[in-house]
Amino acid sequence: DGEAYSLGQILSASGWKLRGTAFWRDGGKLRLFLNSRHRLFSLDAQTGKPVPSFGDNGVVSLTGLPRISDVTHATQSSPPAVYKDLVIVGSQVPDRVQLPDPVGYVQAFNARTGKRVWTFSVIPQSAQDPGADSWENGTWRNNGHGNVWAPMTVDEARGLLYLPTSTPSSDYYGGERPGANLFAESLVCLDAATGKIKWYFQTVHHGLWDWDNPAPPNLVTLTVSGHRIDAVALVTKQGFTFVFDRVSGKPVWPIVERRVPADSDVPGEKPYPTQPFPTQPPPFVQQGVSLDDANNLTPEIEARARREMEKYRIGPIFTPPSLRGTLQRPSQGGGANWGGAAFDPETGYLFVRAANSIGLNRVAKNDGSDPLVGVAYSNVFARGGESLNLPGGLPLIAPPYAVLAAIDLNQGTIAWKVPLGEGSAALRNHPLLKGVRLPDRLGSPNSRGGAMVTRSGLVFIGGGDNYLYAFDKKSGKELWRGKIPFANAAVPMTYRTRSGRQFVVIATGAGTENALVAFALGD
């Protein structure tokens, strides 16, 4: 495209990868919107050529806004949302960029002309902005991130846009941003036409765990205690499901503030004393770490795992990061992640995959060696090279390492939960497990793909191993699995051709080792 970037510039903003495109119909014409790095393109879907009437010959800039001083640190990761004649994009700032800029914006453009219609900054930009008083000492002025890097969701009938927002800078040190830090790590509902806030709920106060809201919110219709509710449900990295009335933002079930560990050995850090806990549904994955969680596949493995775990700080969910190193569960990857959840209106079940894994959350003093880090303490300087596995790849905690859960949103309960994936070959073939009979499904946490539910009663999902699985949606029984060449990190899709033949398609692999695989139903 005529623009040159150095390798360092490309890496600082995660290259050009993103999770999809959006389509919009203008009368009889179909337009394709592609948001790549710092630009939004409008393409003619029939020819693939830029639409001359949109912006500057088919392209508009996503920068030129306050607090985006370096475009190499700002990029896009998810497809636009479309509402009427608006095309709306979020933002992504890489975690490794721990500087005051850029901040996370949501922007709406006229789909015909490319004119910017409105912007919403996740982090307040003036003392009068909503949420500014949640940043003590006016620290909204010098903190960035707060992205909407996951897909947004639109309630077209009501003109409502739902934003899942991320952690402010930096992910693990908040000493330079005391307070709750709105509207980071929140579900924010905007008027899709104007960008004005309708309601919000913060899912993590003063985030220190990289528990961005990673999944698109699900629009669901429920029947709770005889009352029909149009709701929005958000699954999170910490393993919670937050459910709200779509219009009012009122929680369907009470959400309570509970005291959490707030002591820190990191200079300047002030962890928030309480965090929100939904009373229903229960968490869909294990939370917190204790020695009782040690890998117990054999007594010897358990003893080794306990000794290793004792090196770190452990405790319940929301135990703060530390100089010593804190084991957190869910890990920085969740819990739920990019794949999100799939809703079945027939049963009221929400299907979500979750990794049951621990992460190391440790920070150290900034030694000035990384120009992308401007905070006093950071995970960047705390890397000791140790693994959170025992030698040979044995996890410190007991299996299963990934689950598929069905959440009954009519009842606010977990309908069923089953291990997902057979587990790694390194684990199964480990010398310390020779002769030990292992479960058929240990769970494979190395995939972030989501589920697809069908009206026929099947839930399709990649297992994080080399199989695509099908489960009975009502019971959770595994019904089938088909071999795929590489592990899967995407959501399956299905379509039927004019002949009536139906296909299930899944993207597998990464980098140069990848394949798009189709399974056909019928002969």
Side-chain angles (χ1 to χ4, degrees):
D1 60 9
E3 293 194 27
Y5 295 90
S6 72
L7 181 60
Q9 287 175 314
I10 292 172
L11 292 178
S12 71
S14 304
W16 284 272
K17 63 188 179 187
L18 68 161
R19 298 189 183 92
T21 56
F23 288 89
W24 175 72
R25 292 192 182 276
D26 184 12
K29 300 175 182 177
L30 186 63
R31 302 300 191 217
L32 169 68
F33 289 103
L34 171 68
N35 51 330
S36 177
R37 289 187 64 88
H38 61 284
R39 293 174 297 177
L40 173 66
F41 298 85
S42 176
L43 306 177
D44 184 305
Q46 189 169 11
T47 66
K49 294 182 178 180
V51 178
S53 58
F54 182 85
D56 182 8
N57 200 31
V59 60
V60 297
S61 172
L62 300 179
T63 57
L65 296 169
R67 303 276 311 276
I68 301 183
S69 59
D70 187 340
V71 299
T72 66
H73 298 331
T75 187
Q76 299 281 306
S77 58
S78 292
V82 173
Y83 172 69
K84 294 187 176 179
D85 61 352
L86 295 179
V87 55
I88 307 169
V89 299
S91 61
Q92 182 198 10
V93 183
D95 290 349
R96 66 186 290 257
V97 179
Q98 299 173 24
L99 300 170
D101 297 330
V103 299
Y105 278 98
V106 179
Q107 306 177 62
F109 296 86
N110 182 286
R112 291 187 180 87
T113 67
K115 180 181 179 182
R116 185 182 278 125
V117 176
W118 59 256
T119 64
F120 172 77
S121 173
V122 173
I123 295 176
Q125 293 303 296
S126 79
Q128 288 71 46
D129 283 357
D133 58 358
S134 70
W135 296 76
E136 295 178 14
N137 308 322
T139 50
W140 50 266
R141 292 183 176 89
N142 53 11
N143 279 273
H145 290 233
N147 307 293
V148 179
W149 58 259
M152 299 171 283
T153 304
V154 179
D155 183 333
E156 292 185 285
R158 295 176 173 88
L160 299 176
L161 175 69
Y162 301 93
L163 316 178
T165 71
S166 78
T167 313
S169 55
S170 68
D171 285 300
Y172 310 114
Y173 180 67
E176 296 167 21
R177 51 175 172 87
N181 307 144
L182 291 171
F183 294 96
E185 288 175 306
S186 301
L187 177 61
V188 181
C189 175
L190 301 183
D191 182 317
T194 66
K196 302 299 184 184
I197 290 183
K198 306 291 284 188
W199 59 264
Y200 71 90
F201 186 88
Q202 190 173 48
T203 58
V204 179
H205 308 315
H206 188 77
L208 300 172
W209 302 271
D210 194 15
W211 283 335
D212 307 319
N213 286 315
N218 290 82
L219 301 184
V220 298
T221 299
L222 314 175
T223 303
V224 179
S225 301
H227 298 286
R228 189 172 174 85
I229 303 172
D230 286 341
V232 56
L234 181 72
V235 293
T236 70
K237 282 187 177 181
Q238 57 268 38
F240 288 133
T241 308
F242 291 93
V243 190
F244 307 93
D245 181 283
R246 274 188 233 176
V247 177
S248 69
K250 179 182 177 182
V252 171
W253 294 280
I255 301 171
V256 297
E257 289 285 325
R258 294 180 184 165
R259 296 198 70 82
V260 295
D263 58 311
S264 174
D265 66 353
V266 181
E269 185 59 82
K270 291 171 58 178
Y272 211 78
T274 66
Q275 294 291 347
F277 287 75
T279 56
Q280 289 178 261
F284 50 78
V285 72
Q286 295 293 108
Q287 296 176 326
V289 181
S290 76
L291 292 179
D292 291 338
D293 299 318
N295 192 331
N296 58 4
L297 291 174
T298 72
E300 181 183 357
I301 291 173
E302 182 175 10
R304 290 190 181 192
R306 281 177 171 257
R307 287 196 298 271
E308 188 67 21
M309 293 166 71
E310 287 172 345
K311 297 179 182 178
Y312 305 101
R313 181 177 181 181
I314 59 176
I317 188 172
F318 296 111
T319 297
S322 59
L323 300 175
R324 174 186 179 187
T326 299
L327 298 185
Q328 69 173 57
R329 183 167 61 161
S331 72
Q332 290 87 332
N337 207 288
W338 300 334
F343 181 67
D344 175 43
E346 180 182 270
T347 59
Y349 287 4
L350 188 71
F351 301 95
V352 58
R353 75 168 303 139
N356 175 30
S357 58
I358 57 176
L360 177 59
N361 195 343
R362 182 166 63 191
V363 297
K365 188 174 178 60
N366 190 336
D367 62 12
S369 62
D370 192 326
L372 295 181
V373 181
V375 291
Y377 287 80
S378 172
N379 62 312
V380 170
F381 310 106
R383 292 171 181 156
E386 71 265 55
S387 169
L388 285 186
N389 289 327
L390 295 173
L394 282 176
L396 294 183
I397 59 172
Y401 302 113
V403 296
L404 174 63
I407 304 161
D408 186 336
L409 290 184
N410 292 326
Q411 302 297 323
T413 59
I414 303 294
W416 52 260
K417 186 164 60 175
V418 297
L420 178 60
E422 62 182 11
S424 71
L427 191 158
R428 289 189 166 276
N429 298 322
H430 197 281
L432 291 179
L433 290 172
K434 187 175 182 179
V436 177
R437 179 167 177 77
L438 298 174
D440 290 340
R441 302 289 180 264
L442 289 168
S444 302
N446 61 325
S447 175
R448 294 171 177 173
M452 176 184 72
V453 59
T454 69
R455 193 171 184 180
S456 64
L458 298 177
V459 179
F460 288 95
I461 188 168
D465 51 16
N466 285 71
Y467 293 95
L468 175 67
Y469 290 83
F471 294 85
D472 183 285
K473 73 178 183 182
K474 292 183 178 179
S475 68
K477 181 182 179 182
E478 183 185 315
L479 301 176
W480 168 87
R481 69 175 187 172
K483 186 75 172 173
I484 54 179
F486 307 103
N488 151 263
V491 181
M493 64 169 288
T494 186
Y495 62 91
R496 182 181 296 154
T497 61
R498 290 175 180 169
S499 67
R501 195 178 192 199
Q502 190 171 1
F503 295 83
V504 173
V505 179
I506 193 164
T508 70
T512 58
E513 296 185 333
N514 65 83
L516 193 64
V517 183
F519 294 88
L521 303 184
D523 294 333

